[in-house]
Amino acid sequence: MRFLGHFSSRERRYRRLVQPHVTHLVHIALQRTGHAALAEDLVQESCIMAWEKLEGLRSAEASRPWLVRILLRQIADHRRTRARRQALLPITDIEEAHWEAIAGEAPGPFEQAVAAQSDGRVAALLRRLPDDFAIVVELHDLMGYRYREIAETLELPLGTVTSRLARGRRLLAGLLVEAPETVEGIGASGDKEARHHE
Amino acid sequence: MSDHDHRSHEAHAAWLERVAPYLDDELSPDERRVMAHHLTACEPCRRELARQQAVRRRLERLGAATDPSAPHATRAVSAEAVERHLRRRLLSPARRHTGPGPLWGWMGWAIAAVQACVLAVVLGWPSWEARQGVPMVRDAVADFRQRVSGMLPPQASRDTAALARTLALPIEVIDGPGVEFLGAWPTALQGQPAAALAYRVEAHTVVQYVVSGPLFFNRASVREAVAREGRYVAHLGDQSVVGWPGDNAGSLLVGELPSESLERLRL
Ligand SMILES: [Zn+2]
């Protein structure tokens, strides 16, 4: 620290490799959890873990994917131990409905319906997707990752990223326009999770 | 290409799988050209493209609105708010002293201290330890300032063996030319038991604080200084502090002497 006249090498490393990405981690945690206090906790835990494991980080380029992986593990652990289980989505039904719509529907109404959704509703529906799909969609469409960056961050083959992104968007599309009645339930369960966390 | 069965996505699943990468500009130039040509003739793929695009656009708007780093985004939590909240929560005295017993008290403090240390780094907070010192050292110097102005505490004794047993700390009295041992007594640093040993060195009073190894090594700045130079040196106001590790313990020597003079005492 400065009162010793210098920063320790670990602190310098931390400032260079981790600190620039904390805001990004907050963004992911906020979207994944929907709760500020919980997001803060999870980012904080991730930063502590990063501090402890800093030796394992090989390069500056690897630091963001490495941190995101740590955060996603924290989020998954929290889900497993603390949070309510995610309700299962009827994925096959939603996809079938999607393909039928693609084959028959005139363009226009869908786009308008999607554009008209509120931020809160879109974010909440995104959290209803299975994690494997949601995280790929979030990293790409919310955070501007390229396919290759997602593959690297999640340690997945490029083909898997490609198909999960497309399928995730299709599922979200299905929820956005075809399941309006589920939205009330989402708000309520979100609140429950917040209280559970307190 | 245009006369296959458009009503079944299975008839050209491979085409549909390329719609999203086409939209996201993730195809090679050749693949892109071929896909663009297919789209001119394929209604379902055009609809798939429109849907993928509508969802992506909506999500991009959401991403911009929730990005904590965006300058004008409307958001519930900014990075600054996160920082303020964490500082308050982790550094509040209440958190340091929670827990029913000494073990829990210590663990609570240690966890809070580790978190605070990490957060100082996480949140770009370089001046905190500069202003306040390592907490253990801050306590030692505060205790020293209080002692040095008055008498030795009434419980001070020369029986360091008894004190060592009581506190479960290894206590080694500094013995050397020009060093007079005055007495030792139990005290606390950061809410943990510590032994204080007072010495007279020339015209100065010097106090040695013996603490547990976990407390001594709690802060990264102390660990790293010891790893690098075998000792930890700090200056707070008029007081110098020299710290060194012992057998599962650590000592802090505090006095109004240059740190070089303090270092010589322990040799
Ligand atoms: Zn097609």
Side-chain angles (χ1 to χ4, degrees), chain B residues 248-262:
Chain B
N248 197 27
S251 278
L252 293 167
L253 203 52
V254 184
E256 288 179 10
L257 286 167
S259 54
E260 300 77 41
S261 305
L262 291 178

Side-chain angles (χ1 to χ4, degrees), chain A:
Chain A
M1 308 267 163
R2 277 200 186 134
F3 106 98
L4 292 175
H6 64 276
F7 292 115
S8 75
S9 62
R10 179 182 287 244
E11 284 161 18
R12 272 196 302 275
R13 227 168 123 67
Y14 199 96
R15 279 163 194 279
R16 192 165 55 85
L17 300 176
V18 179
Q19 197 171 295
H21 305 298
V22 169
T23 303
H24 181 57
L25 298 182
V26 168
H27 193 191
I28 293 176
L30 276 174
Q31 168 53 37
R32 290 272 68 218
T33 64
H35 291 287
L38 178 55
E40 282 177 31
D41 277 359
L42 293 167
V43 170
Q44 179 200 312
E45 291 302 318
S46 304
C47 288
I48 289 168
M49 194 160 285
W51 167 267
E52 287 167 356
K53 295 186 172 176
L54 210 48
E55 292 81 7
L57 185 54
R58 290 174 308 283
S59 67
E61 298 79 63
S63 66
R64 186 170 86 163
W66 180 72
L67 288 165
V68 170
R69 280 195 296 277
I70 291 177
L71 175 65
L72 292 176
R73 267 195 299 274
Q74 289 286 336
I75 292 170
D77 287 350
H78 170 82
R79 279 263 179 83
R80 243 192 320 278
T81 57
R82 301 281 305 277
R84 88 204 137 85
R85 284 213 180 278
Q86 223 177 358
L88 287 180
L89 274 190
I91 290 175
T92 315
D93 292 353
I94 295 173
E95 285 183 323
E96 271 312 309
H98 175 88
W99 296 125
E100 278 170 30
I102 292 293
E105 157 201 284
F110 174 82
E111 287 78 359
Q112 287 158 21
V114 168
Q117 310 283 337
S118 74
D119 281 350
R121 180 160 190 247
V122 176
L125 287 173
L126 204 41
R127 280 191 288 277
R128 285 205 58 199
L129 297 191
D131 289 347
D132 288 347
F133 295 106
I135 188 60
V136 173
V137 173
E138 286 166 1
L139 289 180
H140 189 278
D141 290 351
L142 268 65
M143 327 237 165
Y145 280 52
R146 303 291 296 176
Y147 286 16
R148 196 158 292 286
E149 291 177 283
I150 300 174
E152 188 196 345
T153 301
L154 303 180
E155 297 175 319
L156 292 172
L158 203 54
T160 307
V161 172
T162 307
S163 79
R164 283 189 189 172
L165 177 61
R167 286 185 73 193
R169 284 182 186 147
R170 281 176 209 136
L171 292 173
L172 185 63
L175 290 178
L176 280 167
V177 297
E178 282 147 26
E181 74 279 3
T182 60
V183 176
E184 312 315 318
I186 285 162
S189 57
D191 290 343
K192 231 173 280 159
E193 191 172 352
R195 274 195 300 276
H196 185 64
H197 175 62
E198 287 310 319

